[in-house]
Amino acid sequence: MGKLIKKEDAYYPDKEFKKRAWVKDNSIYKKANRDPIKFWDELARELHWFRKWKKTFKHEPPYFHWFTGGKINISYNCLERNLEKRRNKVALIWEPEPKNERERVFTYYDLYRQVNKFANSLKEMGVNKGDVVGIYMPMIPESLIAMLACARIGAIHTVVFSAFSPKALNIRLNQTNAKILITADGYYRKGKEMNLKANADKGSKGTKVKKVVTVRRTNSKIKKKKGDCYWDEVIEKQKDYCKPAEMNAEDTLFILFTSGSTGKPKGVMHACGGYTVQAYWTAKLIFDLCDNDIFWSTADIGWITGHTYSCYGPLLNGTTFVLYEGVPDYPETDRWCHIIEKYGVTTFYTAPTAIRMFEKEVGKVKENLKTLQLIASVGEPINEEAWKWFFKQVGKGNCPVLDTWWQTETGGILITSLPGVGPFKPTFAGMPFPGVQTDILDNKGKKVKANQKGNLVILPPFSPGMLRGVYKNPKKYKKTYFGEYGDKVYFTEDIAYKDKKGLVRIVGRADDVIKVAGHRISTGEMENIIDSNNKVAECAVVGIPHKIKGETPVVFVVLNPKKKATEKDILKLITEGIGKIAKPQKIFFVKDLPKTRSGKIMRRILRKFFTGEDLGDLSTLANPQTVDEIKKKIKK
Ligand code: WT7
């Protein structure tokens, strides 16, 4: 294994390191930037297509298309494409949370058969190409099998994070009109048995769901409604082969809901062709996947990282990867170290919030974790202390830290230094992926200078894996992503700057989205949920800094005259509306909220109470006296 060389404020891979890497020098950037469309065109050829595309890139602002005319199936590329060379190679190792249970191991051939069988089951249930199937499942192998089976027959999967509340599930099922929902009886989390089927039932009430398929995981008793069935019962009698649907490159592969500034979550749509190309190539070049690797991404399949790097990316590359059911610090704080040692993990992908938690709980890592070669982070900006701890204690100073920037909307990683090239500079995501053109603009659309903050944008030809729309909401697509700088510039809603060498550092969001333990939560959506209660006159939600979670929500509520409510009531609204992940750190009942003369709530001021920043000029407020009142409340 290679070593890292420190030059000034960053690390670079040495010769040994480059030897193993797919990309060894800068030439790939030069080549890709000369003609990004041709670059992706060449990459796409390495995958299996039933029919080659006619046009590589087509721009119809604000929409764009990749590989039109091409026919592809991602499940074929994940399974058949690997069968010849890797038939009996382990694809997936599943680690259950309870330590007295054994792991389950699937070879590529095992997975192939399971996916085919379940694809046939779906067909038997009447699922057709283009239908939407809901997946509300924990971190178990069947979740991945379900996703791949949908993809195999051309059904569109929409995965809903298992910790989301029934109401959150309900909104997503109703937006997509899913007729089938796949779930599990339960799962284990922190030693507790979670009853998922009960939530699935509550969430599918009042939707078009007519059949719920349940995987037996905890073997707990469930209520069986009309039309419900068990996974093992339907899959058992199915044939081992189901012909893969030949999908148009631009057909929708999946919809994944994510939070934006306002109101309801958006259904981000990803396309069969471009997404496959991007998932394959980013996983390969960024994680340097080769046949000896054991890859572990801790991301839940309910999020995009789980889709692309806990499922599709490693499978497309024929990699052996780990899927872990539970929380990484249960039952011991260093459970995650034991998993790395147990399976000899070479590549570990996790989030800053987990890294900070590990640092706090474990401090000095006793295990030598000597199999690790690459370690990576995603989801929110990683602070310098966490970066350095991760680098020294987990990577033992020998593994590059890849800080990977991307979004639900981008489908795959867009900014990170490549392992064989570097540099790895603490808190900097690094270089855009070859062929990806980014810029940092001021509010007028002018490029900012090095070290100056601005809005991070992505320029044509964007990248093949980026979203193709917002489900049933073209207006929102245009306004959110192509509304800031015209319909040819994708606005990421992130603030960033570049250093002199062009390395990108992400500062944070430009909108009302906060990152709570890596989860993307809209303060606007939380406000809507609280406001919808008739006791509440108005409210404001802001994200404040938190040592482990990065950010955490704080809620300010103004009640209607003569109405009473407790913190518990507000908490209930939020956990029922979204889930426990949005649980506020604090709820304050106040008489009034600071507002401008035009009536705009000044959330910035509310936030500053907690950051210790200067409150600034308050004279423009319509009601400056509220500031003191709130200050006193918080102090108490
Ligand atoms: C937002 C997207 C797709 C990965 C999982 C999150 C923030 C993501 C980084 C990073 C700084 C990051 C951005 C982005 N973010 N990765 N490496 N450094 N910020 O996907 O839930 O759609 O959130 O997460 O603000 O816009 P997501």
Side-chain angles (χ1 to χ4, degrees), residues 258 303-305 377-382 403-409 429 492 494 506 508-509 515 518 520:
T258 189
W303 308 100
I304 191 72
T305 314
S377 160
V378 64
E380 58 176 297
I382 179 166
D403 177 5
T404 65
W405 176 90
W406 57 300
Q407 311 176 297
T408 303
E409 292 86 344
T492 63
D494 272 344
I506 310 292
R509 299 280 304 189
K515 281 308 203 84
R520 178 162 160 181

Side-chain angles (χ1 to χ4, degrees), residues 462-579:
F462 312 108
S463 82
M466 272 172 64
L467 82 167
R468 296 300 193 270
V470 173
Y471 193 62
K472 287 186 185 158
N473 205 338
K475 268 198 201 129
K476 196 148 204 175
Y477 170 79
K478 185 162 178 194
K479 185 164 172 259
T480 312
Y481 307 110
F482 295 94
E484 200 70 19
Y485 298 110
D487 59 7
K488 291 192 191 77
V489 178
Y490 173 90
F491 178 42
T492 63
E493 307 186 279
D494 272 344
I495 312 269
Y497 66 87
K498 281 185 193 171
D499 72 0
K500 287 215 174 78
K501 289 195 194 100
L503 302 181
V504 179
R505 178 179 187 170
I506 310 292
V507 179
R509 299 280 304 189
D511 58 5
D512 296 326
V513 164
I514 56 173
K515 281 308 203 84
V516 183
H519 302 321
R520 178 162 160 181
I521 287 168
S522 157
T523 55
E525 191 183 336
M526 288 178 69
E527 288 177 3
N528 278 355
I529 289 168
I530 302 167
D531 279 333
S532 67
N533 188 276
N534 63 15
K535 289 178 184 161
V536 174
E538 59 180 357
C539 74
V541 178
V542 294
I544 64 161
H546 185 277
K547 264 208 145 97
I548 305 281
K549 295 181 187 170
E551 278 180 297
T552 179
V554 167
V555 178
F556 296 87
V557 183
V558 181
L559 291 172
N560 274 323
K562 294 198 194 120
K563 295 280 182 189
K564 281 207 174 90
T566 61
E567 278 185 38
K568 236 175 146 182
D569 299 328
I570 305 295
L571 190 63
K572 196 163 166 246
L573 290 174
I574 295 163
T575 44
E576 279 178 3
I578 299 175

Side-chain angles (χ1 to χ4, degrees), residues 153-179:
I153 63 169
I156 299 166
H157 59 69
T158 183
V159 181
V160 180
F161 181 44
S162 57
F164 272 146
S165 66
K167 203 165 182 182
L169 170 66
N170 186 274
I171 293 172
R172 286 156 179 80
L173 292 174
N174 266 330
Q175 278 196 48
T176 53
N177 284 328
K179 288 183 209 71

